[in-house]
Structures are given as structure tokens and as C-alpha cells.
Amino acid sequence: MQGATLSAPNRRVGTVTLELEKGLLQPQLEAFITTQFPVDTIDWRVSPHYQWPATFTLQAPNAQEVLERLITPYQFAVTFYANRSAVISYRYSSSEAL
């Protein structure tokens, strides 16, 4: 796995930690999603050229919040499906869609 390192939830503190490294965002985000959510296949519908700028540790009470903190600045949306797939796309407001 290139980039992201995930630590198991800390039972004592109740946090999920994701250590990101400088480099492409896609492999780091995909590794996080496939280890923390029931996902086997990811359809990446955003630019594959997004970069994470520096080494950084992201912590939150749960994996959903880590994911939200990671994708919000990029305006990404992640949609999970029952067939163990996920789609990563751009997040649009209803006014932008018109």
C-alpha cells in the first residue's frame, strides 16, 4: 500500500487515526475506504491527479468522520452500495447542478 497508514481504533480513547503521506490522494483514500468499510470495488470519478501536500495525521472518533474530514476540502462525495462497491465523485449543491 502506498501512502496512508491506518491504525486500529484506540479502544481506550475511541479514535480512528489515518496517517497520510505526501503524494497521490487516490491510493491513500482507496486504502482507507477498503479497510474501514465493507467495500471491494471503488469507482473513482474524480481526477486521479489530486495530491496530498504533506505528511499529516488525521484523527476522529470513527471512520465515517475521518472520511468526511478527508473528502470535504476536495468537495468529494462517497456513495456506498450494498454490492460492496463505492463511487467517489464530486459533491455538487443543488444550485450548481442547474
Side-chain angles (χ1 to χ4, degrees):
M1 173 175 80
Q2 174 190 334
T5 302
L6 177 70
S7 69
N10 184 333
R11 302 274 182 234
R12 189 177 53 131
V13 182
T15 61
V16 174
T17 302
L18 175 61
E19 294 179 12
L20 294 159
E21 294 180 5
K22 180 179 179 178
L24 288 174
L25 180 63
Q26 181 177 356
Q28 297 184 80
L29 181 54
E30 287 182 349
F32 177 73
I33 290 172
T34 57
T35 57
Q36 289 295 302
F37 300 93
V39 171
D40 295 324
T41 304
I42 297 175
D43 183 3
W44 189 265
R45 296 185 183 178
V46 298
S47 173
H49 303 290
Y50 282 100
Q51 296 279 324
W52 189 260
T55 301
F56 185 75
T57 300
L58 190 57
Q59 288 186 328
N62 56 56
Q64 291 87 350
E65 192 165 329
V66 169
L67 180 62
E68 190 62 30
R69 289 179 185 182
L70 182 58
I71 66 174
T72 297
Y74 294 95
Q75 296 185 354
F76 292 170
V78 179
T79 306
F80 295 96
Y81 293 95
N83 66 351
R84 298 184 59 88
S85 67
V87 173
I88 300 173
S89 58
Y90 291 106
R91 183 180 300 181
Y92 296 104
S93 68
S94 57
S95 63
E96 291 174 347
L98 299 177

